[in-house]
């Protein structure tokens, strides 16, 4: 098969949560363990860091990978979902998996897939781990796909676990309360292996404390050690932060190549995780820390986190898509000087649409769209629900059409925001230029 034929076969044969929703989600590790056994247990052949959380796990994973790469290590990075191309999910030192490797790997293991019947995600995890083992990476940063306890990635025994923010998302599969959701995320805590929690959240702190005690795992709430204080934003390229450690100034004028204000919530967890890796023998000098934080997008290919893709009007795309993520993004939008706000919004059909719409500013103009995936809520339906709560806008269908309409309508002092769903942002062509 060619590369496009291979992708088409994967999408057709294997249920894929990101495209079809709950029907593509399989609880349990049995299939992944069976795949790993058939492949010779590649997950045991490299060191790893495991990253879970509702918001911030993708950014934190990329930041960790960028710093470790800057320190001279050969770093595997597994994240999901991809924005534009499947191969974005699996990287070594920032380089995406070669399409030819995927074609060969799928062809070689089709009989195995026929026997085990894995989900799309289970197959992706097996591929990533097999690739990292073959590439002999020094360390792999592995992002959880969904939840933690029963996520396919949870067959690894990492050097440490990092858990970021806990918020409401995927309740149908993870639970309807924050402690229930936190319990699923806490499932990545392994016996005797340290765990870093980025934020102290009173509603869920006890969940992590109990699980860490049960597993005999040292636990650190990173925001009790580190604080990132804003110093400046330089020409829309990076934000400049002063880092405090244990209540004292530690590193001044740190340039962070991710512009979202919310990254200051992720940074303590990243810094504390790096401390733990140093304690386990990794050499990570200050120069590597600064370079990795500054050049994270170049080093890892991360896109879609407060990505500025236009000026006059300012055009920003961000993948924040659940209640907590959108609240942070909208708060930052409100602080950006502008005459009028234009929002290009699309959502998936299994989100709590009422909660999302309740967050959106009533004074903005809306351009409702739908990403080209089966889970996308039709733009006309989204527009109707929005109108019912007083939001003004029109349905435009395709993302590109909505973006073009917003940019055409916006004045030079206005702001255009594109988001609501990872899959909306994935279709913004300017992100890939």
């Amino acid at each position: 098969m060619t590369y496009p034929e291979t992708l088409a076969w994967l999408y057709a044969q294997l249920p894929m949560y990101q495209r079809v929703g709950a029907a593509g989600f399989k609880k349990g590790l049995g299939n992944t363990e069976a795949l790993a056994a058939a492949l010779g247990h590649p997950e045991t052949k490299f060191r790893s860091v495991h990253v879970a959380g509702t918001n911030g796990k993708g950014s934190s994973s990329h930041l960790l990978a960028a710093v470790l790469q800057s320190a001279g290590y050969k770093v595997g990075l597994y994240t999901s979902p991809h924005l534009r191309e499947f191969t974005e999910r699996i990287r070594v030192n920032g380089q995406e998996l070669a399409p030819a490797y995927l074609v060969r790997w799928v062809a070689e293991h089709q009989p195995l897939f026929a026997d085990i019947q894995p989900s799309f995600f289970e197959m992706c995890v097996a591929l990533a781990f097999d690739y990292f083992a073959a590439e002999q990476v020094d360390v792999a940063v592995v992002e959880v796909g969904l939840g933690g306890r029963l996520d396919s990635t949870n067959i690894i025994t990492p050097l440490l676990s990092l858990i970021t923010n806990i918020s409401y998302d995927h309740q149908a599969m993870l639970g309807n309360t924050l402690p229930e959701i936190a319990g699923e995320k806490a499932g990545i805590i392994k016996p005797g292996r340290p765990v870093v929690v980025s934020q102290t959240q009173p509603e869920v702190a006890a969940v992590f404390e109990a699980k860490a005690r049960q597993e005999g795992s040292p636990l650190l709430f990173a925001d009790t050690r580190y604080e990132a204080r804003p110093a400046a934003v330089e020409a829309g390229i990076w934000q400049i932060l002063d880092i405090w450690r244990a209540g004292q100034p530690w590193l001044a004028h740190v340039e962070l190549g991710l512009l979202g204000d919310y990254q200051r919530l992720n940074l303590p967890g990243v810094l504390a995780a790096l401390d733990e890796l140093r304690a386990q023998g990794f050499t990570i000098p200050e120069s590597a820390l600064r370079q990795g934080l500054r050049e994270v997008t170049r080093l890892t290919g991360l896109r879609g986190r407060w990505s500025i893709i236009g000026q006059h009007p300012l055009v920003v795309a961000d993948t924040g898509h659940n209640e907590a993520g959108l609240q942070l993004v909208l708060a930052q939008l409100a602080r950006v000087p502008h005459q009028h706000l234009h929002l290009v919004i699309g959502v998936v059909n299994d989100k709590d649409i009422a909660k999302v719409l309740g967050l959106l500013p009533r004074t903005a103009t809306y351009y409702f769209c739908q990403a080209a995936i089966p889970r996308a809520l039709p733009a006309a339906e989204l527009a109707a629900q929005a109108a019912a709560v007083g939001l003004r806008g029109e349905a435009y269908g395709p993302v590109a059409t909505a973006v073009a309409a917003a940019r055409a309508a916006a004045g030079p002092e206005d702001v255009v925001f594109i988001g609501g769903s990872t899959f909306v942002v994935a279709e913004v062509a300017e992100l890939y230029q």
Side-chain angles (χ1 to χ4, degrees), residues 379-396:
E381 189 175 332
L382 178 58
Q385 291 191 41
V389 296
L391 301 180
R392 297 181 298 108
E394 302 289 338
Y396 287 87

Side-chain angles (χ1 to χ4, degrees), residues 92-381:
V92 172
N93 278 4
Q95 296 299 306
E96 296 178 21
L97 178 77
Y101 188 99
L102 174 67
V103 170
R104 287 195 305 272
W105 193 86
V106 169
E108 180 181 351
H109 298 298
Q110 275 192 338
L112 181 61
F113 297 153
D115 181 43
I116 295 174
Q117 293 290 303
S119 71
F120 180 92
F121 194 80
E122 290 161 344
M123 182 278 302
C124 292
V125 169
L127 166 63
F129 292 173
D130 206 30
Y131 184 62
F132 294 155
E135 286 289 304
Q136 298 182 309
V137 298
D138 296 317
V139 61
V141 181
V142 177
E143 180 195 8
V144 164
L146 184 64
R149 181 175 64 93
L150 298 174
D151 185 74
S152 300
T153 61
N154 205 27
I155 65 169
I156 57 174
T157 301
L159 299 175
L160 76 144
S161 302
L162 171 62
I163 301 175
T164 64
N165 166 275
I166 303 299
S167 309
Y168 290 104
D169 206 2
H170 307 299
Q171 289 98 307
M173 288 161 281
L174 301 181
N176 291 313
T177 69
L178 289 181
E180 285 179 321
I181 295 169
E184 292 297 317
K185 312 290 186 186
I188 70 167
I189 299 174
K190 298 297 194 304
R193 300 301 171 102
V195 56
V196 172
V197 176
S198 296
Q199 293 176 249
T200 306
Q201 297 174 261
E203 312 96 310
V204 297
V207 174
F208 298 127
E209 290 166 345
K211 180 64 173 176
R213 270 196 310 273
Q214 177 187 329
E215 300 295 347
S217 301
L219 168 66
L220 174 69
F221 289 96
D223 55 359
T224 65
R225 177 181 293 176
Y226 285 107
E227 180 187 0
R229 300 185 180 183
V233 174
E234 188 157 315
I237 300 170
W238 49 62
Q239 56 176 317
I240 299 172
L241 305 168
D242 293 329
I243 309 298
W244 287 53
R245 190 173 194 257
Q248 300 295 321
W250 182 59
L251 285 182
H253 205 81
V254 172
E255 297 163 344
L256 182 61
L258 300 176
L259 289 172
D261 287 350
Y262 52 82
Q263 298 297 349
R264 295 200 291 273
L265 302 177
N266 297 325
L267 203 50
V270 171
L271 296 171
L274 292 168
D275 282 346
E276 181 53 48
L277 290 175
R278 288 189 189 95
Q280 296 192 38
F282 283 74
T283 301
I284 307 168
E286 180 185 325
S287 58
L289 174 63
R290 288 182 176 272
Q291 181 186 1
L293 297 182
R294 182 179 64 248
E295 300 182 20
V296 56
T297 56
R298 180 185 68 81
L299 291 168
T300 68
L302 179 63
R303 300 180 179 93
R305 271 63 168 190
W306 200 267
S307 295
I308 294 176
I309 60 172
Q311 299 281 1
H312 311 296
L314 178 69
V315 184
V316 177
D318 194 282
T319 55
H321 57 275
N322 53 44
E323 186 178 1
L326 279 172
Q327 282 177 330
L328 293 169
V329 168
L330 291 168
Q332 184 166 355
L333 271 178
R335 291 191 292 271
V336 176
H338 60 271
Q339 287 189 353
H340 191 66
L341 184 59
H342 305 258
L343 270 70
V344 178
I345 297 291
V347 298
V348 291
N349 57 20
D350 50 3
K351 291 290 181 194
D352 187 338
I353 308 302
K355 278 193 174 177
V356 170
L357 295 177
L359 297 173
L360 300 176
R362 297 298 185 264
T363 55
T365 300
Y366 289 86
Y367 306 76
F368 298 107
C369 61
Q370 64 193 73
I373 62 165
R375 282 175 68 205
L377 185 71
E381 189 175 332

Side-chain angles (χ1 to χ4, degrees), residues 7-93:
L7 287 181
W9 182 86
L10 292 174
Y11 294 152
Q13 300 297 320
L14 305 175
M16 180 180 177
Y17 171 76
Q18 281 87 353
R19 291 175 62 85
V20 302
F25 178 65
K26 291 186 177 181
K27 284 194 172 185
L29 302 178
N31 281 355
T32 313
E33 289 169 340
L35 285 172
L39 295 170
H41 287 291
E43 77 282 3
T44 65
K45 297 175 183 176
F46 55 87
R47 298 178 295 180
S48 60
V49 177
H50 208 182
V51 186
T54 308
N55 294 308
K57 65 181 185 293
S59 295
S60 297
S61 296
H62 283 80
L63 288 166
L64 279 172
V67 173
L68 289 166
Q69 188 178 330
S70 297
Y73 293 100
K74 187 174 186 179
V75 184
L77 177 61
Y78 177 74
T79 57
S80 63
H82 60 271
L83 282 183
R84 193 177 206 183
E85 195 63 58
F86 174 89
T87 51
E88 296 167 24
R89 293 168 177 255
I90 301 168
R91 299 175 186 266
V92 172
N93 278 4

